[in-house]
Amino acid sequence: MSKQGNLPRRPGDVYFFATCVVDQFFPSAGMDAITLIEREGIRVHFPEGQTCCGQPAHTSGFPDESRKVAAHTLTLFPNDWPVVVPSGSCAGMLKVHSPELFDGDAAWSARAKAFAAKVFELVSFLV
């Protein structure tokens, strides 16, 4: 299985994780990404309260701050739908590095790994 995982079937619903860069600087890019997904006949859900993937804190050496952001993110996507992310680096943070932040905490680690399995970078999802 690739790092992106495999979709067993075409989903009817997905979550969209906008990323802080899309939210703050390029909202039209996020809207365009949503249009591409919807054009495939897939309903897009945008949970309120999204902030950031935690990558800036993580790469700057602030794991506690990154963990707080990651824990918040894990609460926003309750259904078992794919989480589509329009940024490779943010998708990598959510899929690879966020679960590592919870090593040593069995409950949060399991939750982070389950979430990571649902994360897909936009282009990989569309292909």
Side-chain angles (χ1 to χ4, degrees):
M1 182 184 305
S2 73
K3 286 272 187 197
Q4 284 298 320
N6 293 322
L7 284 173
R9 59 179 168 66
R10 179 189 201 90
D13 295 89
V14 299
Y15 287 117
F16 188 76
F17 184 85
T19 81
C20 59
V21 172
V22 167
D23 182 46
Q24 296 296 311
F25 301 109
F26 302 107
S28 62
M31 296 306 296
D32 291 344
I34 289 171
T35 298
L36 290 173
I37 298 166
E38 289 177 336
R39 208 180 274 173
E40 296 300 314
I42 300 169
R43 286 177 299 278
V44 177
H45 303 268
F46 185 88
E48 294 291 324
Q50 296 183 46
T51 58
C52 178
C53 68
Q55 183 178 187
H58 179 70
T59 57
S60 297
F62 297 99
D64 293 338
E65 289 79 357
S66 186
R67 192 175 303 106
K68 288 177 190 173
V69 172
H72 171 72
T73 298
L74 293 176
T75 68
L76 299 175
F77 303 88
N79 294 319
D80 193 26
W81 300 332
V83 178
V84 181
V85 184
S87 163
S89 63
C90 294
M93 180 66 196
L94 295 170
K95 192 160 194 68
V96 178
H97 302 295
S98 287
E100 295 169 351
L101 293 170
F102 298 102
D103 284 348
D105 184 326
W108 277 102
S109 179
R111 192 170 181 178
K113 287 175 183 174
F115 177 77
K118 302 187 311 184
V119 172
F120 294 85
E121 187 276 328
L122 173 67
V123 174
S124 294
F125 175 80
L126 291 172
V127 169

